[in-house]
Amino acid sequence: MASIATTQTQGNGHPKGLYVLFGTEMWERFSFYTMLAMLTLYMQDAVDGFGWSSAQATGVYSWYQMFVYFTPLLGGLIADKFLGYRNSITIGGLFFMAGHLLLAVPKNIPIFFTALVCLVVGNGFFKPNVSSMVGNLYREGSHLKDRAYLIFYMGINIGAFIAPVIAEYVQSNWGFHPAFAVAAGGMVISLLIFWIFKRHTAQADRARLGDFTKLTGDQDQKAEAVAVTTDLPPNTEDDAAAMMESVPEWKRIVALIVIFLIVIVFWMIFHQNGSTLVYWANDNTDWDVSGIISNSINPFWIIVLSLPLAWFWGFLDRRGLEPSTPAKMALGMLLTGASLLILYFAALSGGYTKPSTKVLTAGPAPGQYWVSLPPEYREANAITIQPTMIEVRRTSGDQSEIVQEEGFLATTTATETLVLNDNVRIDSADATGLTVSPAARVSPWWLVLSYLVISLGELMLSPMGLALVSKVAPIRMRGLMMGGWFAATAIGNKLTAIGKYWDIWSHAQFFLILALMAFVMAVVLFLLLRPLRKAMPGV
């Protein structure tokens, strides 16, 4: 066999298999992000979902995201050693379909968590291996490989962009459960593309790493396979290999650990896009759609900005002015902080300088409602609010218990919307209880601008970090260090649980704290640029 990468090509030199994998991944990401755009709002919805608080929904979301980023390590290993990429992708797709169909089952908590487990397993089998197959379509050193990953990455973001748009339309017209079924339909299309055109990708399936090594004589394939298990295209160029090898391994490892710590903070902030930023878009943004649609903004900007940014780096490189990879990452953290600072000013403009208010349950008598309004709202117009102990019933399976929690009893005879301190409004009481919501909403352009800035930050952090690991890690430890990258990403996603403070802190305070975290990491990275350059020459 002359080359395992010998496949039919299109007129632009890329094999047809690239476009098969483009379609496969685009529809899988459509499926994945359709669900993710709705997840936290679904858990809080009292009609279709479970009526959970934002803190409860955020907690579940953070655990789900953590496992989503841990499982590709195991899924890639199983594919390498036992199943091969094609079989692993198929298994992952079936788990994805099962998970989304289970989410379409109304209001059943055990089935809901079973669905999340299926989705985590599906992602573990599917995500790393479809990305690996893209690289396997090309000979080592091919100048087309970087461009192939750029094309592939566009497919990912097209799927991520259209998913919330469709989810918004279906959910607003028919509810959450049919929208989850649409996500399952996207996964069906993904697998159909993958199998109908399987002949174009057959040679990219490395059933066992050892067998492929025998065919090609390439001893570094395992490292390369791990290096492409992500949404973002790695940079395979390594012009400074000789300089890098002259640096002691321990220095390179310590430098990468520093980068991992920065990445933890970035992902903790960035993946607020599935929780607190959805709440902000849903409850505090002045538009006629739900927060679901906000999940389209980031992939839109990635699609728009990727090529211009690549051109800009090339422009600087030709003049010897391109920043080092660590410097780009420091700039990315600065932009991340700036994006949250934009939302901080948005919160100030809307008057969100006090903790949010939420209705807990109906009170003991007509016109009385248990609410979590702050103490300063003791009396306002026709509302009287008194501190008291709230009787809350907690149910787990067949067991039910009554607990006491401190809160406030609101009594009202109002027939119109009442405004409290220009920040909180209480809508007219109805049979289902009292509705408490912000009195003012801010322009959606605050959110669009914030996503523009953080998307630039993402492009300077995520692909740069992956390229850094593939260049800096010692070859014998490259798989382990790439695993460290994913572990750091997973930890960052777990720390998105800071969103539990969304209703405890004011929204302005929440955004400011996240912004300061990003700025601190940026400053640390800038201060470490000199030692990092010594530990990672040429990057």
Side-chain angles (χ1 to χ4, degrees), residues 6 22 39 78 143 235 244 266 307 321 407 510 521:
T6 301
F22 174 99
L39 180 60
I78 292 173
H143 68 284
N235 183 352
M244 191 68 69
F266 171 73
L307 291 179
L321 299 174
F510 183 85
M521 289 295 102

Side-chain angles (χ1 to χ4, degrees), residues 35 39 60 64 99 103 111-121:
M35 172 271 183
L39 180 60
V60 172
Y64 171 73
L103 285 175
I111 289 180
F112 171 73
F113 282 108
T114 301
L116 294 187
V117 171
C118 287
L119 294 173
V120 165
V121 173

Side-chain angles (χ1 to χ4, degrees), residues 211-487:
D211 295 340
F212 180 76
T213 302
K214 291 175 185 177
L215 285 171
T216 64
D218 188 347
Q219 300 297 321
D220 293 331
Q221 283 302 314
K222 185 173 183 178
E224 189 228 359
V226 177
V228 294
T229 56
T230 181
D231 278 354
L232 296 171
N235 183 352
T236 58
E237 296 178 357
D238 193 359
D239 296 332
M243 286 192 299
M244 191 68 69
E245 289 300 321
S246 68
V247 178
E249 288 186 354
W250 70 267
K251 285 188 177 181
R252 293 152 62 185
I253 292 169
V254 169
L256 287 176
I257 290 173
V258 171
I259 298 301
F260 293 164
L261 293 175
I262 303 297
V263 166
I264 287 174
V265 177
F266 171 73
W267 290 119
M268 178 191 72
I269 295 171
F270 180 83
H271 277 131
Q272 296 297 319
N273 62 359
S275 55
T276 57
L277 292 188
V278 172
Y279 309 152
W280 172 262
N282 194 69
D283 301 329
N284 309 105
T285 300
D286 187 18
W287 52 14
D288 295 325
V289 291
S290 77
I292 293 172
I293 202 72
S294 66
N295 286 271
S296 285
I297 305 174
N298 171 246
F300 168 80
W301 283 125
I302 295 295
I303 293 169
V304 169
L305 296 172
S306 291
L307 291 179
L309 187 62
W311 175 87
F312 180 67
W313 294 138
F315 173 81
L316 292 181
D317 182 41
R318 289 190 295 273
R319 287 157 178 78
L321 299 174
E322 184 178 9
S324 66
T325 300
K328 290 178 183 176
M329 298 184 75
L331 289 171
M333 284 307 300
L334 275 179
L335 289 169
T336 300
S339 72
L340 272 298
L341 205 58
I342 290 169
L343 291 178
Y344 166 72
F345 287 115
L348 289 182
S349 73
Y352 303 113
T353 56
K354 295 179 181 178
S356 296
T357 60
K358 299 289 181 182
V359 172
L360 297 183
T361 184
Q368 290 188 331
Y369 301 90
W370 301 117
V371 296
S372 58
L373 290 170
E376 58 264 29
Y377 300 138
R378 293 294 174 88
E379 292 185 5
N381 297 325
I383 295 181
T384 301
I385 300 168
Q386 299 172 328
T388 187
M389 295 300 293
I390 301 174
E391 185 179 279
V392 180
R393 183 175 294 276
R394 290 178 178 166
T395 302
S396 178
D398 296 330
Q399 303 297 317
S400 180
E401 63 174 338
I402 294 176
V403 296
Q404 298 289 328
E405 295 186 357
E406 184 177 358
F408 302 90
L409 178 62
T411 304
T412 180
T413 57
T415 58
E416 299 178 354
T417 296
L418 302 173
V419 177
L420 307 179
N421 287 16
D422 297 323
N423 183 42
V424 177
R425 76 175 183 227
I426 298 185
D427 295 331
S428 302
D430 59 27
T432 61
L434 202 66
T435 301
V436 182
S437 57
R441 291 173 177 258
V442 302
S443 168
W445 291 109
W446 287 105
L447 194 60
V448 172
L449 179 60
S450 175
Y451 268 116
L452 164 63
V453 175
I454 201 170
S455 297
L456 272 174
E458 177 193 0
L459 288 170
M460 293 187 191
L461 272 157
S462 189
M464 298 299 106
L466 286 164
L468 208 59
V469 175
S470 65
K471 292 176 180 179
V472 175
I475 292 177
R476 65 183 183 87
M477 300 179 65
R478 192 167 293 167
L480 175 64
M481 297 310 293
M482 187 60 71
W485 168 272
F486 281 104

